[in-house]
Each structure stands twice: as structure tokens, then as C-alpha cells.
Amino acid sequence: MANSPQAKKRARQNETNRKHNASLRSMARTYIKKVQANIEANKPEEAQAAFLKAQPIMDSMVNKGVFAKNKIARQKSRLSARIKALKSA
């Protein structure tokens, strides 16, 4: 338990930031799920459009420190590969 005033303030800030980051993380995951849903529904054009919408959101979350850079790079790479395979099939 925090005792000093600065530790109490830091605890309050941490809780606020945790809630804000959870909201941002949830939003980014929703965009990713929309891309995946279109891929699984065999809709390459809609998947590509959803992916183009999701990319800047994902990059923004990296810049804000919500996700690690390599995690988002890996996810974008895998999604684009799945979309490319869907278009060629």
C-alpha cells in the first residue's frame, strides 16, 4: 500500500493509465478481428479494406506503447500474407 503522497498519486495515475490503455488495446483488437472475420469469410476485398483501416490504428498503438513493435509487425505480416493467399486462391 502506498504511504507517501507521491506514491499515492502514482498509484492513482497508474490506475487511470491502465484503464485508458485497456480501452485502446480493445479497440485495436476489434480492428484486427474484423480483418480476420473477412479472411475467414473468403472476402478478400473486404479483408484488404479492413486491413488498410486497421494498419494505422495498430501502428498508433505501438507509438503509444500499448503493444510491442515486433508483435504488431508480426501480426501485420501474417494478416497481409493471409489476404494475399486468399486473393491468389
Side-chain angles (χ1 to χ4, degrees), residues 15-70:
E15 183 61 19
T16 304
N17 289 335
R18 184 188 68 80
K19 289 178 181 174
H20 186 250
N21 287 339
S23 170
L24 295 176
R25 194 168 26 252
S26 175
M27 179 187 65
R29 287 178 179 160
T30 301
Y31 277 95
I32 293 168
K33 286 177 189 174
K34 288 179 184 177
V35 177
Q36 292 172 340
N38 284 319
I39 290 171
E40 290 168 8
N42 288 329
K43 298 178 180 176
E45 292 81 21
E46 289 88 344
Q48 181 66 34
F51 183 64
L52 291 177
K53 257 181 126 173
Q55 259 184 318
I57 303 292
M58 295 164 76
D59 292 334
S60 174
M61 295 305 115
V62 169
N63 292 336
K64 293 177 182 181
V66 175
F67 288 115
K69 179 175 67 171
N70 285 349

Side-chain angles (χ1 to χ4, degrees), residues 2 4 8 10 13 29 33-34 53-54 57 60 71 82-83:
S4 67
K8 289 178 183 177
R10 176 50 64 190
Q13 288 176 329
R29 287 178 179 160
K33 286 177 189 174
K34 288 179 184 177
K53 257 181 126 173
I57 303 292
S60 174
K71 175 179 178 152
R82 287 176 67 190
I83 291 170

